[in-house]
């Protein structure tokens, strides 16, 4: 495997931009080299040579944060329009362009062009991140690899991923994802891959393509000019497409079980066998589920094609983790919070992990537990000095450094620091209380077994966990944003503990994603959001008179739905400053809460008496937006709403925000999106229409463990009231979840099923308060095995159907005693 860099390679200067990109420089003349790129003014410290890109999006404009970025230290800016008060930006340089995003991409492409090395580009409908992480682990023990952090595969993420490419790197691995036509060509120009992988083709983002074939054609543009393309011949659509006259000059490296594959693949139990013209290799699999094996095969075949020795490869596979390599948030002992990144450690990913820790620290001191950084490819003393500078700039309070190399260079750290030569040495001496009340980032290379540190510091409260995937939540949020008309705002419903997922974490994530509003059911929920660091505008749907004093203190905006409530709010507001604006609820047919049409004039009369009350929005609620049988009624509701809105806004003399449609109505009634939409359960991956359901990703996964397995003879009974009976010799597993955790009693006696060892297995007997029994006959189930109660399979929809209820109830019923764990996006 070769690597190299052109002899003329040098740092790109800010003054080079007019030669590389379309635009001109304005402001101070600077010879600065471009060293880092950022789109986020919230970074704690920009550093020398940092360039801030002001990028405009449908609901976000980076130009709004230019002054904030300048105050934090940025002096190099890429903008589409100069600030009106440029004289304030003393010594700043601006590159003025018509398209900041295109400039970001062109700059990254120019940087990439200076290097000659194997670069792998991965695309497909799903599995990109896992394939990348597996391939990275297979290569990293032999060569220095740069890779996309997390799932950075978008038009913005790809240039930011490619930019860290440096002289010491010997290979690159980058993801590329698209959501609509004409995007992939941009990513191909940035990555300039020599090897390609297409994982699969599925329904993700189908809505913006005329056909699945058009989407496949678009994805294949990534591989034009590649030397090799790796794919699975068992994916018929991909194999058929590649059998045509496409991608001339690209060697097609197929693997699969059928005929015609260069690599014949077979699995027997926990062994994977690959055979090809030059040899064969047998690998012990660390997992056996089909998706993980398929992702692994992509990585293994690519590694073989890149020259990795087969026997070395087999050893590397044996230490792979079947768990996606994503950061997760966990509750720690003594009120601490753990950011778990215990499976890999590289300098590039350290900043991203720190940013996550800062985002979720909620003002708590931050400590970092860090292992040796392996395969860094630079002077180690300088490396750890850079680590010190980064940690200090991020405000880290303390570092725990573990490993022989970082121990040897302990004097590189000018901050509070403890050094240990090994993980074992740390575990022998650590006192859990030393991290009390802190946010602790645990980031280590896999060989250091930092999962033992996580195990030591994690709170041992309950073995039942609700796993919340914030990356999936981001995907769903962006999906709904993609189907909004221009300039339509988003209000996200966070009532009922954010549908059971945890309002604080979800609220902070939505704040990061730049939602416009959130809504809660009661003032106390709004107060909790504020205390957990959520600063978004908050609408409170039920604000009784006794709660009015809380509203201004926490900037909470009440929904007003009756004349008496409006009158009480007006009386309370007299003589007060900073009175929160209100949201007027109109009843157009839901008949739950709200003013009726003939009360609009009375509303106006009351508001006239209290001029310090402003109306932020006027809204209503559709009763049957998910069902086409009710479409005529929906249109009547919309007309009634518009009539009421026009009447009231004319009297007010200004136009409050209009919002009518809920999750189901966003796509079914685009003309009724108005000024804002309300997103609820759809954000969690649950939609009423099958078409949209296929484009969403499940956010919450409720899982538990098997506590005990026993064999019962035929004729025995199980559980209270002897409700379960065995007709034959039966294996019964007791799992650690019951109705006190939110698992409905109605799912007892075989009505409910849980997933163990990839099989749906029925309950037996009644659901108890803290446990449930499951018939596991014929399946090799053991104590400690994972049990999925709902997630991808079975889904919350399926569980709701078994229980005779709706998925809303299944999600919101998960008890607060069930620990929430958050996977980073």
């Amino acid at each position: 495997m070769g690597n190299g860099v052109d002899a003329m390679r040098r740092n790109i200067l800010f003054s080079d931009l007019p030669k590389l990109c379309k635009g001109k420089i304005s402001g101070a003349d600077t010879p600065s080299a471009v060293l880092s790129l950022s789109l986020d003014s919230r970074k704690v410290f920009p550093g020398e040579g940092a360039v801030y890109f002001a990028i405009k999006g449908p609901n976000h404009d980076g130009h709004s944060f230019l002054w904030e970025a300048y105050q934090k230290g940025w002096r190099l800016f890429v903008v589409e329009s100069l600030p009106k008060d440029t004289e304030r930006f003393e010594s700043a340089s601006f590159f003025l362009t018509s398209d900041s995003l295109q400039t970001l991409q062109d700059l990254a492409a120019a940087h990439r062009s200076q290097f000659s090395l194997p670069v792998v580009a991965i695309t497909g409908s799903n599995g990109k991140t896992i394939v990348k992480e597996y391939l990275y682990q297979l290569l990293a023990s032999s060569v220095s690899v740069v890779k996309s952090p997390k799932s950075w595969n978008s038009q913005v993420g790809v240039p930011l991923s490619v930019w860290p490419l440096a002289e010491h790197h010997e290979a690159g691995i980058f993801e590329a994802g698209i959501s609509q036509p004409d995007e992939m060509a941009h990513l191909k120009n940035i990555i300039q891959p020599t090897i390609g992988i297409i994982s699969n083709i599925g329904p993700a983002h189908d809505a913006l393509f005329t056909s699945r074939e058009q989407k496949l054609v678009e994805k294949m543009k990534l591989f034009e000019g590649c030397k090799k393309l790796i794919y699975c011949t068992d994916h018929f659509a991909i194999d058929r497409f590649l059998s045509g006259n496409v991608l001339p000059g690209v060697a097609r490296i197929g693997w699969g079980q059928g005929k015609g594959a260069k690599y014949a693949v077979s699995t027997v139990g926990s062994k994977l066998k690959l055979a090809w013209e030059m040899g064969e290799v047998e690998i012990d699999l660390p997992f056996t589920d089909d998706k993980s094996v398929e992702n692994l095969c992509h990585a293994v075949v690519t590694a073989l094609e890149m020259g990795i020795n087969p026997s070395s490869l087999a050893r590397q596979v044996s230490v792979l983790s079947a768990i996606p390599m994503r950061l997760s948030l966990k509750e720690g002992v003594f009120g601490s919070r753990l950011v778990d990144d215990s499976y890999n450690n590289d300098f590039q990913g350290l900043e991203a992990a720190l940013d996550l820790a800062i985002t979720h620290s909620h003002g708590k001191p931050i400590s970092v537990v860090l292992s040796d950084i392996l395969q860094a490819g630079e002077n180690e003393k300088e490396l750890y000095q850079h680590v010190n500078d980064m940690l200090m700039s991020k405000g880290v309070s303390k570092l725990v450094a573990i490993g022989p190399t970082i121990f040897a260079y302990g004097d590189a750290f000018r901050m509070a620091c403890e050094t240990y030569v090994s993980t074992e040495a740390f575990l022998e001496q650590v006192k859990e209380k030393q991290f009390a009340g802190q946010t602790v980032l645990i980031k280590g290379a896999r060989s250091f077994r930092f999962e033992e540190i996580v195990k030591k510091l994690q709170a041992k409260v309950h073995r039942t966990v609700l796993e919340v995937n914030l990356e999936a939540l981001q995907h769903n949020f962006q999906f709904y944003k993609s189907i909004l008309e221009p300039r339509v705002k988003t209000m996200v419903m966070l009532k009922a503990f954010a549908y059971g997922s945890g309002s604080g974490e979800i609220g902070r994530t939505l704040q990061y994603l730049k939602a416009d509003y959130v809504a809660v059911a009661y003032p106390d929920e709004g107060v909790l959001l504020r205390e957990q660091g959520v600063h978004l505008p908050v609408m409170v749907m039920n604000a009784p008179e006794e709660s009015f004093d809380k509203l201004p203190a926490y900037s909470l905006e009440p929904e007003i739905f009756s004349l008496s409530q409006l009158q009480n709010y007006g009386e309370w507001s007299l003589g007060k400053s900073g009175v929160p604006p209100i949201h007027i609820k109109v009843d157009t047919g839901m008949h739950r809460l709200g003013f009726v049409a003939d009360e609009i004039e009375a509303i106006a009369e009351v508001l006239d008496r209290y001029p310090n009350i402003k109306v932020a929005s006027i809204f209503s609620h559709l009763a049957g937006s998910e069902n086409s049988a009710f479409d005529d009624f929906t249109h009547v509701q919309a007309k009634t709403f518009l009539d009421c809105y026009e009447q009231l806004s004319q009297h007010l003399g200004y136009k409050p925000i209009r919002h009518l449609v809920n999750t189901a109505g966003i796509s079914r009634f685009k003309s009724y999106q108005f000024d804002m939409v309300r997103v609820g359960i759809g954000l969690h991956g649950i939609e009423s229409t099958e078409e949209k359901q296929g484009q969403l990703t499940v956010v919450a996964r409720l899982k538990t463990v098997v506590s005990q397995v026993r064999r019962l003879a035929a004729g025995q009974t199980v559980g209270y009231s002897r409700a379960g009976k065995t007709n034959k010799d039966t294996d019964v597993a007791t799992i650690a979840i019951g109705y006190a955790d939110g698992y409905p009693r109605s799912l007892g006696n075989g009505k409910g099923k849980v997933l163990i060892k990839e099989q749906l297995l029925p309950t037996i007997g009644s659901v108890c308060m803290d446990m449930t029994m499951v018939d596991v006959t014929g399946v090799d189930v053991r104590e400690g095995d994972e049990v999925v109660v709902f997630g991808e399979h079975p889904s919350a929809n399926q569980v709701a159907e078994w229980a005779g209820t709706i998925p809303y109830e299944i999600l919101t019923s998960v008890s607060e005693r069930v620990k929430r764990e958050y996977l980073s996006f």
Side-chain angles (χ1 to χ4, degrees), residues 124-193:
S125 295
N126 46 54
K128 296 184 291 294
T129 300
I130 305 302
V131 173
K132 177 200 68 186
E133 295 292 346
Y134 286 165
L135 181 58
Y136 172 78
Q137 290 184 71
L138 297 181
L139 299 180
S141 62
S142 305
V143 294
S144 177
V145 184
V146 61
K147 64 182 175 72
S148 305
K150 300 182 286 185
S151 297
W152 289 16
N153 55 45
S154 66
Q155 298 291 303
V156 168
V158 168
L160 294 179
S161 298
V162 169
W163 184 256
L165 185 60
E167 289 95 332
H168 65 270
H169 290 128
E170 298 168 276
I173 313 172
F174 303 110
E175 300 178 45
I178 56 173
S179 57
Q180 60 188 22
D182 302 318
E183 287 187 332
M184 190 60 87
H186 298 290
L187 304 186
K188 181 253 181 188
N189 291 337
I190 300 166
I191 299 173
Q192 301 165 38

Side-chain angles (χ1 to χ4, degrees), residues 30-43:
T30 175
S32 294
V34 177
L35 300 180
S36 65
L37 316 177
S38 180
L39 286 68
D40 192 343
S41 62
R42 293 168 295 181
K43 297 292 184 183

Side-chain angles (χ1 to χ4, degrees), residues 722-800:
R722 308 188 70 190
K725 293 181 173 60
T726 59
N727 298 321
K728 57 182 180 180
D729 289 355
T730 302
D731 293 326
V732 175
T734 300
I735 63 175
I737 191 170
Y739 59 77
D741 303 295
Y743 193 63
R745 288 193 75 246
S746 59
L747 292 178
N749 292 307
K751 290 184 179 179
K753 299 178 178 66
V754 295
L755 191 73
I756 311 177
K757 293 289 184 71
E758 302 299 320
Q759 295 196 46
L760 281 178
L761 302 171
T763 58
I764 181 170
S766 299
V767 174
C768 307
M769 181 182 291
D770 307 301
M771 59 197 79
T772 300
M773 286 69 74
V774 179
D775 184 344
V776 299
T777 307
V779 183
D780 182 21
V781 174
R782 302 181 183 184
E783 181 180 330
D785 281 347
E786 181 179 87
V787 180
V788 177
V789 179
F790 64 72
E792 293 84 4
H793 182 57
S795 67
N797 277 325
Q798 287 176 292
V799 176

Side-chain angles (χ1 to χ4, degrees), residues 63 155 341 458 463 548 611 637 670 789:
H63 294 77
Q155 298 291 303
D341 194 11
Q458 187 174 0
R463 300 177 80 187
F548 288 169
Q637 280 194 273
K670 286 196 171 185
V789 179

Side-chain angles (χ1 to χ4, degrees), residues 402-619:
I402 298 175
T405 306
I406 203 169
F407 182 87
Y409 291 101
D411 60 354
F413 299 100
R414 304 186 308 277
M415 56 185 298
C417 178
E418 295 178 8
T419 56
Y420 298 86
V421 74
S422 68
T423 303
E424 291 74 17
F426 169 73
L427 290 172
E428 286 176 5
Q429 300 181 50
V430 65
K431 299 289 188 290
E432 292 97 323
K433 278 191 175 181
Q434 73 184 72
F435 297 107
Q438 299 180 37
T439 297
V440 186
L441 169 60
I442 302 172
K443 187 167 180 61
R446 181 162 178 75
S447 60
F448 283 87
R449 298 185 303 104
F450 270 19
E451 62 270 23
E452 297 299 321
I453 296 177
V454 174
K455 192 182 301 182
K456 178 87 171 178
L457 298 182
Q458 187 174 0
K460 288 82 174 173
V461 180
H462 197 19
R463 300 177 80 187
T464 300
V465 172
L466 185 71
E467 190 177 81
V468 182
N469 187 336
L470 299 180
E471 184 176 359
L473 184 121
Q474 178 194 31
H475 167 84
N476 296 338
F477 181 78
Q478 290 175 337
F479 166 75
Y480 284 109
K481 295 280 274 189
S482 74
I483 58 176
L484 294 183
E485 297 296 319
R487 294 177 295 281
V488 174
K489 298 177 183 294
T490 53
M491 173 184 280
V492 181
M493 312 307 289
L494 292 187
K495 56 186 180 177
F497 201 47
Y499 293 87
S501 293
S503 53
E505 297 296 347
I506 301 298
R508 285 194 292 273
T509 300
L510 291 169
Q511 188 164 269
Y512 178 83
L513 295 174
K514 302 191 183 303
D516 298 288
Y517 254 96
V518 294
V520 297
Y522 299 101
D524 287 347
E525 293 177 325
V527 170
L528 182 62
L529 284 178
R530 295 293 186 237
E531 290 176 343
Q532 294 182 334
V534 177
H535 310 300
L536 290 169
V538 177
M539 181 179 82
V540 179
M541 301 172 70
N542 293 279
E545 184 177 358
E546 58 270 21
S547 73
F548 288 169
D549 286 335
K550 276 186 178 179
L551 302 181
Y554 294 94
S555 298
L556 305 177
E557 304 172 12
E559 169 188 320
I560 301 295
F561 49 79
S562 71
L563 285 171
S564 60
Q565 185 192 21
L566 179 60
Q567 179 67 40
N568 290 338
Y569 193 73
E571 287 298 311
W572 167 84
S573 73
L574 289 174
K576 291 183 173 64
S577 59
V579 174
I582 64 174
H583 299 260
I584 298 290
K585 173 74 174 286
V586 179
D587 180 9
T588 58
M590 182 75 167
H591 299 326
R592 189 169 61 181
L593 290 173
F595 296 94
V596 294
D598 60 10
E599 291 180 305
I600 299 300
E601 188 173 333
I603 296 172
E605 291 175 358
V606 174
L607 289 173
D608 281 345
R609 296 199 294 271
Y610 306 103
N612 58 335
I613 298 177
K614 299 298 179 185
V615 179
S617 81
I618 301 171
F619 72 105

